[in-house]
Amino acid sequence: GENVEQHPSTLSVQEGDSAVIKCTYSDSASNYFPWYKQELGKRPQLIIDIRSNVGEKKDQRIAVTLNKTAKHFSLHITETQPEDSAVYFCAASKIPGGKLQFGAGTQVVVTP
Amino acid sequence: GAVVSQHPSWVICKSGTSVKIECRSLDFQATTMFWYRQFPKQSLMLMATSNEGSKATYEQGVEKDKFLINHASLTLSTLTVTSAHPEDSSFYICSGYPGQGKEDGYTFGSGTRLTVV
């Protein structure tokens, strides 16, 4: 089955700096790669996703890149703010709506 | 946007009792619902996939007789933790998929914090 690895497990950045989280996946058939933000005790919230026919997608301060050949994808947050502090999960599935395999998560701490 | 309503948000039960968790899709029909378990500071681990009108598909290592899943309608899926034990204490969360074009992505319930004493 699919295996998703995520690094780093924790990331501390100064407010205004950029944060980058990287994930690799094992199943070349995976085609859908969402990123979720989860605050303590709350549900995961989709922040951005990318499909395999796209190499990069951007939404304001958030961007995701995908390298299908290398089977890795990354989340980039620019101009970080304290409210960006949370746990971020990458995930992969073969099709939108199919089983999601999550990475282990990255605790992001943005210090003022 | 698409909403999945999950209840209860938290529950404390005694060892040996059963607990039912409900997830309802409020504005879309969920033919499939995914059930996850999350331990503190860990990732979401898929337990099973519930399918409307048919048996659930369980992930390897998940006891189907302990975690009973029912998906009797297009808007309701339930997870029953039977004969609960302290090691079943966890955060349980469901997820449905409204379909492409509906704000994309899966929508998650708010989760249920189960504590077994």
Side-chain angles (χ1 to χ4, degrees):
Chain A
E2 175 66 277
N3 181 46
V4 178
E5 295 193 357
Q6 182 173 346
H7 300 280
S9 57
T10 59
L11 182 57
S12 184
V13 295
Q14 291 274 23
E15 183 177 359
D17 288 348
S18 296
V20 180
I21 303 170
K22 298 182 178 181
C23 288
T24 60
Y25 60 98
S26 60
D27 192 341
S28 57
S30 289
N31 278 309
Y32 176 64
F33 307 93
W35 286 89
Y36 290 90
K37 176 183 180 182
Q38 187 180 31
E39 297 177 356
L40 189 63
K42 297 191 176 179
R43 76 186 84 195
Q45 298 276 7
L46 178 72
I47 55 171
I48 197 167
D49 59 8
I50 193 167
R51 291 180 168 82
S52 61
N53 57 346
V54 175
E56 184 174 357
K57 184 176 178 181
K58 190 174 182 180
D59 182 4
Q60 300 182 332
R61 297 187 296 110
I62 294 172
V64 57
T65 58
L66 171 65
N67 183 327
K68 280 221 76 177
T69 303
K71 291 190 280 189
H72 66 71
F73 56 114
S74 301
L75 177 72
H76 304 253
I77 306 174
T78 58
E79 300 173 26
T80 54
Q81 301 167 2
E83 51 265 38
D84 293 330
S85 297
V87 179
Y88 291 81
F89 292 99
C90 62
S93 81
K94 293 182 181 179
I95 54 169
K99 291 198 298 185
L100 269 179
Q101 183 67 44
F102 282 84
T106 297
Q107 175 74 62
V108 174
V109 177
V110 181
T111 52
Chain B
V3 175
V4 170
S5 175
Q6 183 171 348
H7 294 281
S9 56
W10 61 270
V11 58
I12 301 173
C13 71
K14 292 184 177 180
S15 288
T17 62
S18 296
V19 173
K20 180 185 281 189
I21 302 169
E22 291 189 350
C23 276
R24 294 181 183 272
S25 55
L26 299 186
D27 51 1
F28 68 98
Q29 293 184 330
T31 55
T32 299
M33 194 77 81
F34 300 97
W35 286 93
Y36 296 87
R37 182 175 182 174
Q38 187 177 30
F39 290 108
K41 298 187 178 182
Q42 293 190 23
S43 187
L44 288 83
M45 299 214 39
L46 181 65
M47 298 174 65
T49 304
S50 75
N51 305 292
E52 187 268 334
S54 65
K55 291 183 179 180
T57 304
Y58 290 81
E59 295 301 300
Q60 192 173 8
V62 177
E63 299 175 61
K64 58 182 68 176
D65 293 332
K66 181 167 189 60
F67 299 100
L68 300 179
I69 289 174
N70 184 275
H71 195 147
S73 78
L74 286 171
T75 59
L76 176 64
S77 176
T78 62
L79 167 68
T80 301
V81 183
T82 63
S83 186
H85 290 284
E87 56 265 32
D88 298 325
S89 298
S90 188
F91 189 63
Y92 293 87
I93 191 165
C94 61
S95 172
Y97 187 74
Q100 294 187 49
K102 294 189 176 183
E103 297 187 0
D104 290 337
Y106 301 68
T107 184
F108 286 83
S110 54
T112 298
R113 174 76 55 195
L114 171 63
T115 302
V116 185
V117 298

